[in-house]
Amino acid sequence: MDLESVKRYLEKGGGEEEDEKKQGSTIDGLPLRYFERFIMQGLQVDLIEPGRVVCSMKVPSRLLNGGNFLHGGATATLVDLVGSAVIFTTGAPLTGVSVEINVSYLDAAYLDEEIEIEAKTLRVGKAVGVISVEIRKKKTGKIIAQGRHTKYLAMTSKM
Amino acid sequence: MDLESVKRYLEKGGGEEEDEKKQGSTIDGLPLRYFERFIMQGLQVDLIEPGRVVCSMKVPSRLLNGGNFLHGGATATLVDLVGSAVIFTTGAPLTGVSVEINVSYLDAAYLDEEIEIEAKTLRVGKAVGVISVEIRKKKTGKIIAQGRHTKYLAMTSKM
Amino acid sequence: MDLESVKRYLEKGGGEEEDEKKQGSTIDGLPLRYFERFIMQGLQVDLIEPGRVVCSMKVPSRLLNGGNFLHGGATATLVDLVGSAVIFTTGAPLTGVSVEINVSYLDAAYLDEEIEIEAKTLRVGKAVGVISVEIRKKKTGKIIAQGRHTKYLAMTSKM
Amino acid sequence: MDLESVKRYLEKGGGEEEDEKKQGSTIDGLPLRYFERFIMQGLQVDLIEPGRVVCSMKVPSRLLNGGNFLHGGATATLVDLVGSAVIFTTGAPLTGVSVEINVSYLDAAYLDEEIEIEAKTLRVGKAVGVISVEIRKKKTGKIIAQGRHTKYLAMTSKM
């Protein structure tokens, strides 16, 4: 996958603004595969090169938890999504499934705070890829979360 | 927190159907803290006792990934949410923050498949709680994902 | 690998008592691949069946940490070793490398305490195996540690 | 703990060469808390500053696995030990227990290869410390393993 396509995937979440307008207003009426858009809406790609992607995002109200900071599940999903995208920048095939994701939560990110998400490949082999993802406060560089994502890449044969 | 309140939290996602109907139809217009409802809508509590919660859910179209099975980020969020809820069943205070979440992905769960989410406390100390969460296919018992969730509980003093 | 061979591997640590007697008395003089024997000496296999192994062990003085309980590194190594052994009980080839190991530490195991180590396969595919390992106090069943171990199995082609 | 003491701890493994000479030659006769010395013998501290420690080590024959490269259990123990040491450089008290350790294995380190172990604190709070540890080939910088270590620090009250 070329870098421009990875960038577009991250910034569009695989869908179009138009689709969204047509959606119904209840949770049950949400369109197919809405989840990625729901998380990534507002994400910007600041840097993209083989093996490394840096994105930024303003923490939106929809992703807050009961304590009014970025939800741990949303954080884990960003580790998943940006971690998957960085694999594609190395020319790995578009297929692949998650084997393991882990996240340490280090600080809170509040409403409208600018966060930076950096994903780096630690290893991209024929079968297994491992990515490190760090989420930081853009202003201070303070780490909000650090995680790793292991993917199985060789999907021609069964995992 | 009493068991009935934990059950209500899991099944209502902290909100009401009425609120949902009033929401706007674009992602930007989504209400505050919409994320938990978005994930948990449709979740049912099948069993709740101190230290153990079993829920079930039909995989909804909104939570699918590009491969048309339950999104890894949604799975991680279920580990977070049901794992947090089970801590409350032991009488632990409602506060607490996630320290670490990890998930191994073992199988795919497709649209409308019934899944079962079982959370068990491994340890609930004064300061640190650790929970194991397993997600299975209800029909066959086959494991879809297994994770652990570490929480810091003693929020009166700073973490 | 047949069950009897897996049992022998776990109980002998791949070596013989005779070899050990001949070794020099300094750390530098220790024989090749001494590490596994050093950890596993004293381990007994209580149950072995396809996909499940239960071992027991008395915590030896050599594996204590500065706080006089079982060292976290030794615990992680038991997750590695017994986790690898259980993969062999399913007929998986002897090859394979670790991709990820994680361990939550829940309680302390003191000198001469009997511990039980149970490893179960969560998934054994063509390429990826995932194992859950739990270490408990034999007397009370209280959990000392819980971990997961991900292995890449298909070593004919490169990882 | 002052930096010089942390350095001495890492390089001596808490013991003296003299003790070692007196030890018996069988595994059962090994001295109390021998494990840390067994792993760390030969480790050198190259850099030590508050929040960061870099060590190096030549892979010794005693720590090899059956495939003749550095054992995954030894790698996890290095994440534990060097990760614990770096916490002390920040002035945190000597007490503290491991809550979670995870390691991704990315490449093999063979006999006599020079490896570099870098530990950095991601967070040192009043109660919870999180450390990132990376193990690399000294010659090429290629990553052998990356892990995280979560510690509970506030041991005056119970965890």
Side-chain angles (χ1 to χ4, degrees), chain A residues 20 23 25-27 30 33-36 38 61-62 65 68 71 73 77 98-101 103 105, chain B residues 20 23 25-27 30 33-36 38 61-62 65 68 71 73 80 98-103 105:
Chain A
E20 184 195 333
Q23 94 202 18
S25 62
T26 61
I27 288 186
L30 291 176
R33 295 188 292 269
Y34 183 69
F35 184 63
E36 296 200 356
F38 178 72
S61 66
R62 70 182 187 276
N65 62 13
N68 281 321
H71 200 289
T77 304
S98 292
V99 169
E100 213 262 350
I101 288 178
V103 191
Y105 298 91
Chain B
E20 184 196 330
Q23 93 203 16
S25 63
T26 61
I27 287 187
L30 290 176
R33 295 187 293 269
Y34 184 70
F35 183 63
E36 297 200 355
F38 177 73
S61 65
R62 70 181 186 277
N65 62 14
N68 281 323
H71 200 288
D80 180 356
S98 292
V99 170
E100 213 261 351
I101 288 179
N102 60 59
V103 192
Y105 297 92

Side-chain angles (χ1 to χ4, degrees), chain B residues 70-82:
Chain B
L70 183 63
H71 200 288
T75 306
T77 305
L78 287 169
V79 170
D80 180 356
L81 291 171
V82 185

Side-chain angles (χ1 to χ4, degrees), chain C residues 5 10-11 20 43 75 84 91 96-97 101 110 118 127 133 150 154:
Chain C
S5 305
L10 281 169
E11 295 191 342
E20 183 197 332
L43 194 83
T75 305
S84 290
V97 291
I101 287 179
Y110 293 96
E118 177 170 13
V133 182
T150 305

Side-chain angles (χ1 to χ4, degrees), chain C residues 20 27 33 36 68 71, chain D residues 20 27 33 36 68 71 101:
Chain C
E20 183 197 332
I27 288 185
R33 295 187 292 270
E36 295 200 356
N68 281 321
H71 200 289
Chain D
E20 183 198 331
I27 287 185
R33 295 187 293 269
E36 296 200 356
N68 281 322
H71 200 288
I101 288 178

